[in-house]
Amino acid sequence: MKLSGLLSRTNHDLPGVIGVARVDRRAGDLLRRLSPGDVAVLDQVDIDRRTAEALVAAEVVGVVNASPSISGRFPNLGPELLIEAGIPLIDNVGSSVLRDVKDGTRLRLLDGVVYAGETEVARGDEQSAESIADAMIEAKAGMAAQLEAFSANTIEFLRRERALVLDGIGVPELYVPMRDRQVLVVAGGPSHAVELRRLRKYIREYRPVLVGVDTGADTLFDAGYQPDVIVGDPDGIGTATLKAGKEVVVPAQTDGHAPGLERIQDLGIGAVTFPSSGNAEDLALLIAEAHGASLVVTVGVQAGLREFLDRGHSGSNPSTFLTRLKLGSKLVDGEAVATLHRSRVSFGVILLLVLAAVLAMVAAVAVSGVGHVYVDIAVDAFRTVTDWSKGLFS
């Protein structure tokens, strides 16, 4: 009882953020083991956007990084996303934390210090919105060198994957028809669920082919849609979502190894592999382009200059750049589509306004007792305006 009381006080009565430690030097392996309420303990210089998005999606309560989260080489996006999500970030605590903190230990984070109960196990720099903003200003000085490296990587990627990018060789065949249809690609980027909700009218009107990428597939399913195509690592996608998808495409390494394929086989779901060094988002876009989509609308897919330079796209940055060149004018951001759809006045609204005006006219004529001649004129006017409105808004 005394030990139980001590643990209770240690875990709940002391100040700070408390969670169960999940420890791994490799961020990719760590992300697969995270659960809501965990504290992620990793060793990653320059936390990238993709890692941060995965940490936020896993609902961790804190992040402890053995290395600097912003090294100053370039303005990486991960730390900013974590702080915006309200997740404490303590970095540069040293690699010994990976040895001293055992997986499953209950940790407490407070003012840049990592505690196990009341015992200090590591100390580092707790990041804030202000400290990240200052570091990002300094990091912009490193963008020139990153641009040079990006150019070299692009040339190397094109040398390896030119048949795929230029001619579509290697894109898997699908049963879902895409030719001359619009395709909506939903990836797990920031605010992608909000963006998807804004496109409800667009989806209802145009019935695009729905492609879910990684956690974007779960977002589609949770919103009440059946994904036509799912592209991504099955280990990071819900079972119900995988079973609901009409087709599943599993990205594979260039040597043919496809992570997550065993899970697909265990679930008894048919899938095809897509060997490439590109990321899942780019593979989804290449699939849509190769199968003749007339327009590709993206949700949660960001590809500004900062995203290109972000280390999370390392090795696949060139694929992102070249893929967008390949699709050209077919590629449209979902935010733009939602904005244009909201600004358009629907035919139904116009028709209701015309109907209300005509009914008011008919009522006035009937009350005045002028006669049926004016009623016929009003009806003819209503028909004329209705035909004109249909021609204008069709």
Side-chain angles (χ1 to χ4, degrees), residues 257-289:
H257 175 65
L261 192 59
E262 291 183 1
R263 183 178 180 221
I264 284 289
Q265 295 170 345
D266 292 341
L267 293 173
I269 300 173
V272 296
T273 59
F274 192 164
S276 173
S277 57
N279 61 50
E281 292 177 6
D282 300 332
L283 300 188
L285 297 179
L286 288 172
I287 288 172
E289 199 281 333

PDB file of all heavy atoms in Angstrom, residues 257-289:
ATOM      1  N   HIS A 257      10.844  -5.332 -51.863  1.00  0.00           N
ATOM      2  CA  HIS A 257      10.306  -5.509 -50.511  1.00  0.00           C
ATOM      3  C   HIS A 257       9.216  -4.476 -50.242  1.00  0.00           C
ATOM      4  O   HIS A 257       9.410  -3.280 -50.467  1.00  0.00           O
ATOM      5  CB  HIS A 257      11.409  -5.383 -49.476  1.00  0.00           C
ATOM      6  CG  HIS A 257      10.915  -5.436 -48.064  1.00  0.00           C
ATOM      7  ND1 HIS A 257      10.335  -6.561 -47.522  1.00  0.00           N
ATOM      8  CD2 HIS A 257      10.883  -4.485 -47.078  1.00  0.00           C
ATOM      9  CE1 HIS A 257       9.985  -6.318 -46.268  1.00  0.00           C
ATOM     10  NE2 HIS A 257      10.305  -5.072 -45.983  1.00  0.00           N
ATOM     11  N   ALA A 258       8.056  -4.942 -49.764  1.00  0.00           N
ATOM     12  CA  ALA A 258       6.917  -4.051 -49.509  1.00  0.00           C
ATOM     13  C   ALA A 258       6.505  -4.145 -48.051  1.00  0.00           C
ATOM     14  O   ALA A 258       5.859  -5.118 -47.650  1.00  0.00           O
ATOM     15  CB  ALA A 258       5.750  -4.405 -50.413  1.00  0.00           C
ATOM     16  N   PRO A 259       6.874  -3.160 -47.212  1.00  0.00           N
ATOM     17  CA  PRO A 259       6.454  -3.181 -45.804  1.00  0.00           C
ATOM     18  C   PRO A 259       4.935  -3.190 -45.689  1.00  0.00           C
ATOM     19  O   PRO A 259       4.240  -2.474 -46.403  1.00  0.00           O
ATOM     20  CB  PRO A 259       7.038  -1.868 -45.255  1.00  0.00           C
ATOM     21  CG  PRO A 259       8.145  -1.505 -46.198  1.00  0.00           C
ATOM     22  CD  PRO A 259       7.708  -1.996 -47.539  1.00  0.00           C
ATOM     23  N   GLY A 260       4.423  -3.998 -44.802  1.00  0.00           N
ATOM     24  CA  GLY A 260       2.988  -4.053 -44.576  1.00  0.00           C
ATOM     25  C   GLY A 260       2.248  -5.048 -45.444  1.00  0.00           C
ATOM     26  O   GLY A 260       1.051  -5.283 -45.241  1.00  0.00           O
ATOM     27  N   LEU A 261       2.934  -5.663 -46.400  1.00  0.00           N
ATOM     28  CA  LEU A 261       2.261  -6.604 -47.293  1.00  0.00           C
ATOM     29  C   LEU A 261       1.780  -7.842 -46.541  1.00  0.00           C
ATOM     30  O   LEU A 261       0.742  -8.418 -46.876  1.00  0.00           O
ATOM     31  CB  LEU A 261       3.200  -7.001 -48.431  1.00  0.00           C
ATOM     32  CG  LEU A 261       2.557  -7.749 -49.607  1.00  0.00           C
ATOM     33  CD1 LEU A 261       1.451  -6.909 -50.231  1.00  0.00           C
ATOM     34  CD2 LEU A 261       3.613  -8.097 -50.654  1.00  0.00           C
ATOM     35  N   GLU A 262       2.523  -8.248 -45.509  1.00  0.00           N
ATOM     36  CA  GLU A 262       2.112  -9.416 -44.730  1.00  0.00           C
ATOM     37  C   GLU A 262       0.762  -9.172 -44.048  1.00  0.00           C
ATOM     38  O   GLU A 262      -0.072 -10.085 -43.962  1.00  0.00           O
ATOM     39  CB  GLU A 262       3.178  -9.751 -43.680  1.00  0.00           C
ATOM     40  CG  GLU A 262       4.476 -10.280 -44.265  1.00  0.00           C
ATOM     41  CD  GLU A 262       5.466 -10.666 -43.190  1.00  0.00           C
ATOM     42  OE1 GLU A 262       5.116 -10.543 -41.995  1.00  0.00           O
ATOM     43  OE2 GLU A 262       6.580 -11.086 -43.547  1.00  0.00           O
ATOM     44  N   ARG A 263       0.548  -7.956 -43.563  1.00  0.00           N
ATOM     45  CA  ARG A 263      -0.736  -7.656 -42.921  1.00  0.00           C
ATOM     46  C   ARG A 263      -1.879  -7.754 -43.921  1.00  0.00           C
ATOM     47  O   ARG A 263      -2.957  -8.272 -43.596  1.00  0.00           O
ATOM     48  CB  ARG A 263      -0.696  -6.253 -42.314  1.00  0.00           C
ATOM     49  CG  ARG A 263      -1.986  -5.929 -41.576  1.00  0.00           C
ATOM     50  CD  ARG A 263      -1.963  -4.563 -40.932  1.00  0.00           C
ATOM     51  NE  ARG A 263      -3.220  -4.321 -40.244  1.00  0.00           N
ATOM     52  CZ  ARG A 263      -3.860  -3.170 -40.268  1.00  0.00           C
ATOM     53  NH1 ARG A 263      -3.360  -2.144 -40.940  1.00  0.00           N
ATOM     54  NH2 ARG A 263      -4.992  -3.025 -39.622  1.00  0.00           N
ATOM     55  N   ILE A 264      -1.647  -7.277 -45.127  1.00  0.00           N
ATOM     56  CA  ILE A 264      -2.666  -7.358 -46.172  1.00  0.00           C
ATOM     57  C   ILE A 264      -3.021  -8.818 -46.445  1.00  0.00           C
ATOM     58  O   ILE A 264      -4.193  -9.194 -46.561  1.00  0.00           O
ATOM     59  CB  ILE A 264      -2.162  -6.678 -47.460  1.00  0.00           C
ATOM     60  CG1 ILE A 264      -2.214  -5.156 -47.310  1.00  0.00           C
ATOM     61  CG2 ILE A 264      -2.987  -7.096 -48.668  1.00  0.00           C
ATOM     62  CD1 ILE A 264      -3.606  -4.591 -47.301  1.00  0.00           C
ATOM     63  N   GLN A 265      -1.998  -9.652 -46.516  1.00  0.00           N
ATOM     64  CA  GLN A 265      -2.225 -11.070 -46.779  1.00  0.00           C
ATOM     65  C   GLN A 265      -2.965 -11.730 -45.620  1.00  0.00           C
ATOM     66  O   GLN A 265      -3.848 -12.565 -45.833  1.00  0.00           O
ATOM     67  CB  GLN A 265      -0.891 -11.753 -47.046  1.00  0.00           C
ATOM     68  CG  GLN A 265      -0.213 -11.261 -48.317  1.00  0.00           C
ATOM     69  CD  GLN A 265       1.217 -11.753 -48.466  1.00  0.00           C
ATOM     70  OE1 GLN A 265       1.821 -12.234 -47.503  1.00  0.00           O
ATOM     71  NE2 GLN A 265       1.776 -11.643 -49.668  1.00  0.00           N
ATOM     72  N   ASP A 266      -2.623 -11.350 -44.381  1.00  0.00           N
ATOM     73  CA  ASP A 266      -3.307 -11.914 -43.216  1.00  0.00           C
ATOM     74  C   ASP A 266      -4.783 -11.529 -43.198  1.00  0.00           C
ATOM     75  O   ASP A 266      -5.627 -12.318 -42.733  1.00  0.00           O
ATOM     76  CB  ASP A 266      -2.630 -11.443 -41.922  1.00  0.00           C
ATOM     77  CG  ASP A 266      -1.239 -12.027 -41.743  1.00  0.00           C
ATOM     78  OD1 ASP A 266      -0.943 -13.051 -42.400  1.00  0.00           O
ATOM     79  OD2 ASP A 266      -0.444 -11.450 -40.972  1.00  0.00           O
ATOM     80  N   LEU A 267      -5.102 -10.336 -43.689  1.00  0.00           N
ATOM     81  CA  LEU A 267      -6.489  -9.881 -43.717  1.00  0.00           C
ATOM     82  C   LEU A 267      -7.262 -10.453 -44.904  1.00  0.00           C
ATOM     83  O   LEU A 267      -8.484 -10.278 -44.982  1.00  0.00           O
ATOM     84  CB  LEU A 267      -6.544  -8.351 -43.767  1.00  0.00           C
ATOM     85  CG  LEU A 267      -6.044  -7.602 -42.522  1.00  0.00           C
ATOM     86  CD1 LEU A 267      -5.991  -6.096 -42.790  1.00  0.00           C
ATOM     87  CD2 LEU A 267      -6.938  -7.890 -41.329  1.00  0.00           C
ATOM     88  N   GLY A 268      -6.544 -11.103 -45.813  1.00  0.00           N
ATOM     89  CA  GLY A 268      -7.201 -11.676 -46.979  1.00  0.00           C
ATOM     90  C   GLY A 268      -7.635 -10.641 -47.998  1.00  0.00           C
ATOM     91  O   GLY A 268      -8.607 -10.841 -48.728  1.00  0.00           O
ATOM     92  N   ILE A 269      -6.930  -9.517 -48.041  1.00  0.00           N
ATOM     93  CA  ILE A 269      -7.267  -8.424 -48.959  1.00  0.00           C
ATOM     94  C   ILE A 269      -6.320  -8.462 -50.149  1.00  0.00           C
ATOM     95  O   ILE A 269      -5.108  -8.594 -49.996  1.00  0.00           O
ATOM     96  CB  ILE A 269      -7.154  -7.064 -48.246  1.00  0.00           C
ATOM     97  CG1 ILE A 269      -8.108  -7.011 -47.050  1.00  0.00           C
ATOM     98  CG2 ILE A 269      -7.438  -5.915 -49.207  1.00  0.00           C
ATOM     99  CD1 ILE A 269      -7.939  -5.776 -46.198  1.00  0.00           C
ATOM    100  N   GLY A 270      -6.862  -8.327 -51.343  1.00  0.00           N
ATOM    101  CA  GLY A 270      -6.024  -8.275 -52.532  1.00  0.00           C
ATOM    102  C   GLY A 270      -5.324  -6.929 -52.641  1.00  0.00           C
ATOM    103  O   GLY A 270      -5.882  -5.891 -52.277  1.00  0.00           O
ATOM    104  N   ALA A 271      -4.093  -6.942 -53.112  1.00  0.00           N
ATOM    105  CA  ALA A 271      -3.328  -5.705 -53.244  1.00  0.00           C
ATOM    106  C   ALA A 271      -2.299  -5.857 -54.348  1.00  0.00           C
ATOM    107  O   ALA A 271      -1.919  -6.971 -54.716  1.00  0.00           O
ATOM    108  CB  ALA A 271      -2.641  -5.344 -51.928  1.00  0.00           C
ATOM    109  N   VAL A 272      -1.869  -4.724 -54.882  1.00  0.00           N
ATOM    110  CA  VAL A 272      -0.780  -4.699 -55.849  1.00  0.00           C
ATOM    111  C   VAL A 272       0.348  -3.862 -55.263  1.00  0.00           C
ATOM    112  O   VAL A 272       0.118  -2.978 -54.437  1.00  0.00           O
ATOM    113  CB  VAL A 272      -1.224  -4.114 -57.206  1.00  0.00           C
ATOM    114  CG1 VAL A 272      -2.274  -4.995 -57.854  1.00  0.00           C
ATOM    115  CG2 VAL A 272      -1.762  -2.689 -57.034  1.00  0.00           C
ATOM    116  N   THR A 273       1.569  -4.145 -55.665  1.00  0.00           N
ATOM    117  CA  THR A 273       2.722  -3.384 -55.186  1.00  0.00           C
ATOM    118  C   THR A 273       3.149  -2.374 -56.240  1.00  0.00           C
ATOM    119  O   THR A 273       2.902  -2.550 -57.438  1.00  0.00           O
ATOM    120  CB  THR A 273       3.895  -4.312 -54.847  1.00  0.00           C
ATOM    121  OG1 THR A 273       4.266  -5.063 -56.010  1.00  0.00           O
ATOM    122  CG2 THR A 273       3.518  -5.262 -53.718  1.00  0.00           C
ATOM    123  N   PHE A 274       3.804  -1.320 -55.774  1.00  0.00           N
ATOM    124  CA  PHE A 274       4.285  -0.251 -56.657  1.00  0.00           C
ATOM    125  C   PHE A 274       5.740   0.031 -56.278  1.00  0.00           C
ATOM    126  O   PHE A 274       6.009   0.864 -55.429  1.00  0.00           O
ATOM    127  CB  PHE A 274       3.425   0.990 -56.486  1.00  0.00           C
ATOM    128  CG  PHE A 274       3.643   2.056 -57.536  1.00  0.00           C
ATOM    129  CD1 PHE A 274       2.715   3.074 -57.698  1.00  0.00           C
ATOM    130  CD2 PHE A 274       4.760   2.059 -58.368  1.00  0.00           C
ATOM    131  CE1 PHE A 274       2.897   4.072 -58.646  1.00  0.00           C
ATOM    132  CE2 PHE A 274       4.952   3.031 -59.328  1.00  0.00           C
ATOM    133  CZ  PHE A 274       4.016   4.044 -59.464  1.00  0.00           C
ATOM    134  N   PRO A 275       6.699  -0.651 -56.917  1.00  0.00           N
ATOM    135  CA  PRO A 275       8.114  -0.425 -56.589  1.00  0.00           C
ATOM    136  C   PRO A 275       8.580   0.955 -57.058  1.00  0.00           C
ATOM    137  O   PRO A 275       8.475   1.286 -58.237  1.00  0.00           O
ATOM    138  CB  PRO A 275       8.842  -1.541 -57.350  1.00  0.00           C
ATOM    139  CG  PRO A 275       7.777  -2.538 -57.692  1.00  0.00           C
ATOM    140  CD  PRO A 275       6.529  -1.751 -57.869  1.00  0.00           C
ATOM    141  N   SER A 276       9.078   1.753 -56.139  1.00  0.00           N
ATOM    142  CA  SER A 276       9.602   3.078 -56.464  1.00  0.00           C
ATOM    143  C   SER A 276      10.235   3.668 -55.224  1.00  0.00           C
ATOM    144  O   SER A 276       9.880   3.307 -54.100  1.00  0.00           O
ATOM    145  CB  SER A 276       8.490   4.002 -56.970  1.00  0.00           C
ATOM    146  OG  SER A 276       8.962   5.324 -57.143  1.00  0.00           O
ATOM    147  N   SER A 277      11.151   4.598 -55.424  1.00  0.00           N
ATOM    148  CA  SER A 277      11.757   5.301 -54.296  1.00  0.00           C
ATOM    149  C   SER A 277      10.976   6.571 -53.950  1.00  0.00           C
ATOM    150  O   SER A 277      11.352   7.295 -53.040  1.00  0.00           O
ATOM    151  CB  SER A 277      13.216   5.664 -54.616  1.00  0.00           C
ATOM    152  OG  SER A 277      13.296   6.447 -55.803  1.00  0.00           O
ATOM    153  N   GLY A 278       9.881   6.844 -54.668  1.00  0.00           N
ATOM    154  CA  GLY A 278       9.042   7.993 -54.366  1.00  0.00           C
ATOM    155  C   GLY A 278       8.174   7.739 -53.156  1.00  0.00           C
ATOM    156  O   GLY A 278       7.985   6.593 -52.730  1.00  0.00           O
ATOM    157  N   ASN A 279       7.607   8.810 -52.582  1.00  0.00           N
ATOM    158  CA  ASN A 279       6.722   8.632 -51.427  1.00  0.00           C
ATOM    159  C   ASN A 279       5.311   8.302 -51.886  1.00  0.00           C
ATOM    160  O   ASN A 279       4.973   8.394 -53.066  1.00  0.00           O
ATOM    161  CB  ASN A 279       6.744   9.862 -50.522  1.00  0.00           C
ATOM    162  CG  ASN A 279       6.273  11.119 -51.228  1.00  0.00           C
ATOM    163  OD1 ASN A 279       5.228  11.121 -51.858  1.00  0.00           O
ATOM    164  ND2 ASN A 279       7.021  12.199 -51.104  1.00  0.00           N
ATOM    165  N   ALA A 280       4.456   7.895 -50.933  1.00  0.00           N
ATOM    166  CA  ALA A 280       3.119   7.407 -51.266  1.00  0.00           C
ATOM    167  C   ALA A 280       2.263   8.476 -51.942  1.00  0.00           C
ATOM    168  O   ALA A 280       1.469   8.171 -52.839  1.00  0.00           O
ATOM    169  CB  ALA A 280       2.436   6.890 -49.998  1.00  0.00           C
ATOM    170  N   GLU A 281       2.394   9.736 -51.503  1.00  0.00           N
ATOM    171  CA  GLU A 281       1.625  10.810 -52.120  1.00  0.00           C
ATOM    172  C   GLU A 281       1.925  10.911 -53.606  1.00  0.00           C
ATOM    173  O   GLU A 281       1.016  10.996 -54.441  1.00  0.00           O
ATOM    174  CB  GLU A 281       1.953  12.144 -51.444  1.00  0.00           C
ATOM    175  CG  GLU A 281       1.471  12.278 -50.017  1.00  0.00           C
ATOM    176  CD  GLU A 281       1.913  13.590 -49.410  1.00  0.00           C
ATOM    177  OE1 GLU A 281       2.493  14.429 -50.145  1.00  0.00           O
ATOM    178  OE2 GLU A 281       1.696  13.797 -48.207  1.00  0.00           O
ATOM    179  N   ASP A 282       3.215  10.900 -53.945  1.00  0.00           N
ATOM    180  CA  ASP A 282       3.615  11.035 -55.338  1.00  0.00           C
ATOM    181  C   ASP A 282       3.182   9.832 -56.165  1.00  0.00           C
ATOM    182  O   ASP A 282       2.781   9.966 -57.325  1.00  0.00           O
ATOM    183  CB  ASP A 282       5.133  11.232 -55.429  1.00  0.00           C
ATOM    184  CG  ASP A 282       5.596  12.477 -54.702  1.00  0.00           C
ATOM    185  OD1 ASP A 282       4.804  13.432 -54.603  1.00  0.00           O
ATOM    186  OD2 ASP A 282       6.729  12.493 -54.209  1.00  0.00           O
ATOM    187  N   LEU A 283       3.234   8.642 -55.572  1.00  0.00           N
ATOM    188  CA  LEU A 283       2.800   7.446 -56.288  1.00  0.00           C
ATOM    189  C   LEU A 283       1.309   7.521 -56.596  1.00  0.00           C
ATOM    190  O   LEU A 283       0.873   7.115 -57.682  1.00  0.00           O
ATOM    191  CB  LEU A 283       3.121   6.193 -55.469  1.00  0.00           C
ATOM    192  CG  LEU A 283       4.604   5.948 -55.138  1.00  0.00           C
ATOM    193  CD1 LEU A 283       4.785   4.579 -54.506  1.00  0.00           C
ATOM    194  CD2 LEU A 283       5.478   6.085 -56.377  1.00  0.00           C
ATOM    195  N   ALA A 284       0.528   8.043 -55.670  1.00  0.00           N
ATOM    196  CA  ALA A 284      -0.907   8.192 -55.914  1.00  0.00           C
ATOM    197  C   ALA A 284      -1.165   9.151 -57.070  1.00  0.00           C
ATOM    198  O   ALA A 284      -2.041   8.911 -57.926  1.00  0.00           O
ATOM    199  CB  ALA A 284      -1.602   8.683 -54.648  1.00  0.00           C
ATOM    200  N   LEU A 285      -0.415  10.239 -57.112  1.00  0.00           N
ATOM    201  CA  LEU A 285      -0.580  11.204 -58.205  1.00  0.00           C
ATOM    202  C   LEU A 285      -0.165  10.597 -59.538  1.00  0.00           C
ATOM    203  O   LEU A 285      -0.825  10.807 -60.568  1.00  0.00           O
ATOM    204  CB  LEU A 285       0.245  12.458 -57.919  1.00  0.00           C
ATOM    205  CG  LEU A 285      -0.144  13.266 -56.673  1.00  0.00           C
ATOM    206  CD1 LEU A 285       0.771  14.468 -56.513  1.00  0.00           C
ATOM    207  CD2 LEU A 285      -1.600  13.717 -56.743  1.00  0.00           C
ATOM    208  N   LEU A 286       0.923   9.833 -59.538  1.00  0.00           N
ATOM    209  CA  LEU A 286       1.376   9.192 -60.774  1.00  0.00           C
ATOM    210  C   LEU A 286       0.364   8.154 -61.262  1.00  0.00           C
ATOM    211  O   LEU A 286       0.171   7.981 -62.470  1.00  0.00           O
ATOM    212  CB  LEU A 286       2.742   8.540 -60.553  1.00  0.00           C
ATOM    213  CG  LEU A 286       3.925   9.506 -60.405  1.00  0.00           C
ATOM    214  CD1 LEU A 286       5.187   8.748 -60.008  1.00  0.00           C
ATOM    215  CD2 LEU A 286       4.156  10.265 -61.712  1.00  0.00           C
ATOM    216  N   ILE A 287      -0.275   7.450 -60.340  1.00  0.00           N
ATOM    217  CA  ILE A 287      -1.316   6.490 -60.712  1.00  0.00           C
ATOM    218  C   ILE A 287      -2.462   7.212 -61.420  1.00  0.00           C
ATOM    219  O   ILE A 287      -2.949   6.770 -62.472  1.00  0.00           O
ATOM    220  CB  ILE A 287      -1.834   5.745 -59.468  1.00  0.00           C
ATOM    221  CG1 ILE A 287      -0.786   4.748 -58.966  1.00  0.00           C
ATOM    222  CG2 ILE A 287      -3.136   5.017 -59.771  1.00  0.00           C
ATOM    223  CD1 ILE A 287      -1.131   4.102 -57.639  1.00  0.00           C
ATOM    224  N   ALA A 288      -2.915   8.333 -60.848  1.00  0.00           N
ATOM    225  CA  ALA A 288      -4.019   9.081 -61.445  1.00  0.00           C
ATOM    226  C   ALA A 288      -3.641   9.595 -62.832  1.00  0.00           C
ATOM    227  O   ALA A 288      -4.451   9.524 -63.770  1.00  0.00           O
ATOM    228  CB  ALA A 288      -4.415  10.243 -60.530  1.00  0.00           C
ATOM    229  N   GLU A 289      -2.424  10.092 -62.978  1.00  0.00           N
ATOM    230  CA  GLU A 289      -1.996  10.634 -64.268  1.00  0.00           C
ATOM    231  C   GLU A 289      -1.855   9.531 -65.316  1.00  0.00           C
ATOM    232  O   GLU A 289      -2.314   9.679 -66.453  1.00  0.00           O
ATOM    233  CB  GLU A 289      -0.661  11.370 -64.080  1.00  0.00           C
ATOM    234  CG  GLU A 289      -0.325  12.356 -65.190  1.00  0.00           C
ATOM    235  CD  GLU A 289       0.223  11.667 -66.432  1.00  0.00           C
ATOM    236  OE1 GLU A 289       0.814  10.576 -66.309  1.00  0.00           O
ATOM    237  OE2 GLU A 289       0.057  12.230 -67.533  1.00  0.00           O
TER     238      GLU A 289
END
